[in-house]
């Protein structure tokens, strides 16, 4: 009887304490992150976004709780990984050779690349307004002044020699201007050919001078149209020369621009970068394509356009301290999530048709 009672107590103890022991062995992994919509949104209600949901799915597959530690900057986030004060970091972290020397990476979690964001192409009215530069307006005023002045000088010579000019000065302003305009554009009116010798001589001078005036006027407009077309056209990274370019300090995009000797203004965060773009402080943004695509279809959907060309393909990964024991398990979990459709479902949730490779 005592043997049976002892066995019963042992079985009861195993039922009570085994679940408790299992709960106590559940790992809590700490991952640093930083605000990078749509990969990471940091707010009062916690962290959310594609990278956050993916890391939570990985933690669930591993049987581990994931705790996210927001960082003030991308540099601080990677510094925490390098120092080993966190179990890893996740956001939109590009896998690069230089980073691989001081930390480990999971297999890629997202295919990305560097792209260019520009202001929306202006409409026809805006283009016409853009041609009304100071130089063109000056040329127009000079041309009008010469036509009015030339017409009135002809009125002085011809007012007593033909009926068309035989009128008071105040009534002769527009008819004289109209005569000078037709002389320059059409060669004048045959029935209103100057009759006086001074008038004929001046008409010849006016026609010859108009050739130079018209040539200068056409050249000024052509130059303005050419400059505007060149400024609006960005077909390669070299076309950014002379534009106000912006990127994020320390990013792979900034390194990309520096390596090509393209001058740019750097910002601490993508939020500051895109705010400067909207305010007109810069007119070109070079940064991670998915983040620019998300901006172009949301806050910047009415005043920005994304160049489709990808200038340097990159892969995002989960950053881990060197020699992390979790690397292999995270990679295996990523493979499972891709195979069972969880990964594709997260892509559809956070990106939809906004950014697809």
């Amino acid at each position: 009887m005592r043997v049976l009672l002892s066995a019963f107590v042992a079985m009861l103890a195993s039922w009570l304490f085994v679940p408790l022991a299992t709960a106590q062995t559940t790992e809590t992994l700490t991952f640093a992150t930083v605000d990078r919509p749509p990969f990471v949104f940091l707010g009062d209600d916690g962290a959310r976004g594609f990278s956050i949901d993916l890391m939570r799915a990985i933690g669930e597959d591993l049987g581990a709780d994931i705790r996210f530690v927001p960082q003030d900057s991308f540099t601080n986030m990677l510094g925490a990984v390098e120092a080993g004060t966190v179990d890893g970091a996740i956001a939109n972290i590009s896998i690069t050779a230089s980073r691989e020397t001081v930390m480990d990476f999971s297999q890629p979690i997202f295919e990305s690349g560097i792209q260019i964001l520009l202001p929306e192409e202006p409409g026809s009215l805006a283009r016409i307004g853009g041609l009304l530069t100071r130089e063109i307006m000056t040329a127009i005023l000079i041309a009008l002044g010469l036509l009015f002045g030339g017409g009135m000088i002809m009125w002085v010579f011809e007012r007593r020699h033909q009926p068309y000019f035989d009128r008071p000065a105040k009534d002769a302003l527009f008819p004289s201007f109209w005569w000078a305009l037709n002389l320059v554009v059409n060669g004048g009116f045959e029935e209103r050919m100057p009759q006086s010798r001074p008038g004929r001589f001046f008409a010849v001078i006016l026609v010859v001078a108009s050739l130079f005036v018209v040539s200068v006027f056409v050249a000024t407009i052509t130059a303005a149209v050419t400059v505007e077309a060149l400024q609006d056209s960005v077909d390669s990274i070299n076309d950014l020369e002379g534009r106000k370019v912006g990127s994020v300090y320390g990013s792979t995009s900034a390194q990309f621009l520096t390596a090509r000797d393209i001058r740019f203004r750097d910002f601490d965060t993508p939020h500051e970068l895109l705010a400067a773009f909207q305010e007109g402080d810069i007119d070109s943004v070079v940064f991670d394509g998915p983040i620019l695509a998300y901006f172009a279809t949301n806050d910047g959907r009415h005043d920005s356009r994304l160049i489709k060309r990808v200038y340097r393909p990159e892969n995002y990964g989960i950053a881990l301290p060197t020699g992390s024991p979790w690397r292999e398990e995270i990679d295996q979990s990523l493979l499972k999530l891709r195979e069972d459709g969880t990964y594709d479902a997260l892509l559809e949730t956070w990106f939809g048709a906004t950014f697809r490779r």
Side-chain angles (χ1 to χ4, degrees):
M1 187 67 179
R2 289 183 179 180
V3 174
L4 292 176
L5 182 60
S6 298
F8 176 75
V9 171
M11 291 177 61
L12 182 62
S14 65
W15 292 340
L16 290 176
F17 292 104
V18 167
L20 179 59
T22 302
Q24 289 176 342
T25 59
T26 300
E27 292 279 356
T28 298
L29 302 180
T30 302
F31 275 76
T33 190
V34 68
D35 192 62
R36 287 292 188 276
F39 293 92
V40 180
F41 295 86
L42 295 178
D44 296 336
D45 55 347
R48 60 189 183 90
F50 170 78
S51 296
I52 298 299
D53 284 356
L54 179 62
M55 195 64 235
R56 284 179 174 147
I58 292 172
E60 184 177 350
D61 180 69
L62 297 178
D65 292 330
I66 306 297
R67 185 171 70 92
F68 296 102
V69 182
Q71 301 293 314
D72 295 333
S73 67
F74 211 86
T75 303
N76 290 344
M77 176 182 67
L78 295 182
V81 176
E82 186 176 353
T85 58
V86 293
D87 294 301
I90 190 167
N92 60 316
I93 308 173
S94 298
I95 302 174
T96 66
S98 59
R99 291 173 180 172
E100 186 71 40
T101 61
V102 294
M103 64 187 70
D104 288 341
F105 280 96
S106 69
Q107 62 176 272
I109 65 171
F110 195 91
E111 294 180 7
S112 176
I114 295 174
Q115 290 182 263
I116 300 175
L117 184 75
L118 298 172
E120 183 61 84
E121 291 182 336
S124 300
L125 293 177
R127 288 185 179 275
I128 294 174
L131 293 178
L132 299 180
T133 62
R134 188 173 184 178
E135 291 77 11
I136 292 180
M137 293 301 298
T138 300
I140 291 174
L141 292 175
I142 291 175
L144 292 175
L146 290 175
L147 290 174
F148 269 109
M152 290 307 296
I153 292 175
M154 185 59 68
W155 170 78
V156 172
F157 291 148
E158 293 291 312
R159 59 180 175 171
R160 292 190 177 90
H161 295 278
Q162 60 173 295
Y164 183 79
F165 289 102
D166 189 12
R167 63 188 77 199
K170 64 178 182 178
D171 297 331
L173 285 173
F174 184 77
S176 299
F177 165 77
W178 188 253
W179 181 89
L181 180 62
N182 277 275
L183 178 70
V184 172
V185 176
N186 301 319
F189 302 104
E190 185 176 352
E191 67 274 12
R192 295 172 188 168
M193 184 176 66
Q195 302 298 317
S196 65
R197 287 184 179 179
R200 291 177 178 179
F201 177 76
F202 180 72
V204 173
I205 298 295
L206 189 61
V207 170
V208 174
S210 68
L211 296 177
F212 295 98
V213 174
V214 171
S215 298
V216 172
F217 184 71
V218 171
T220 302
I221 293 180
T222 302
V225 172
T226 303
V227 170
E228 184 182 30
L230 289 174
Q231 289 177 342
D232 287 341
S233 177
V234 177
D235 295 323
S236 72
I237 198 70
N238 295 325
D239 294 332
L240 293 176
E241 188 67 34
R243 298 181 69 94
K244 295 182 289 186
V245 183
S247 190
V248 174
Y249 174 78
S251 65
T252 54
S253 303
Q255 297 170 7
F256 174 76
L257 292 171
T258 301
R260 282 154 182 76
D261 294 326
I262 297 175
R263 298 181 62 183
F264 66 97
R265 180 180 169 189
D266 51 19
F267 296 83
D268 291 334
T269 66
H271 177 75
E272 294 177 3
L273 171 67
L274 296 173
F277 174 78
Q278 286 186 301
E279 293 169 3
D281 295 338
I282 55 175
D283 59 20
S284 307
V285 176
V286 179
F287 196 54
D288 293 20
I291 292 178
L292 298 185
Y294 183 81
F295 171 82
T297 54
N298 289 276
D299 293 343
R301 61 184 177 277
H302 298 305
D303 52 15
S304 65
R305 58 191 171 98
L306 184 67
I307 302 299
K308 291 185 178 180
R309 180 176 176 181
V310 177
Y311 290 93
R312 189 174 77 179
E314 295 180 331
N315 287 321
Y316 296 158
I318 301 172
L320 302 165
T322 301
S324 171
W326 291 99
R327 180 177 180 179
E328 184 65 28
E329 294 188 56
I330 288 176
D331 283 346
Q332 292 177 5
S333 181
L334 279 171
L335 290 175
K336 291 180 184 178
L337 296 178
R338 288 180 182 273
E339 291 172 357
D340 66 16
T342 302
Y343 178 85
D344 290 336
L346 290 177
L347 278 181
E348 184 67 25
T349 298
W350 288 105
F351 293 96
T354 298
F355 189 86
R356 289 179 179 173
R357 284 277 178 242

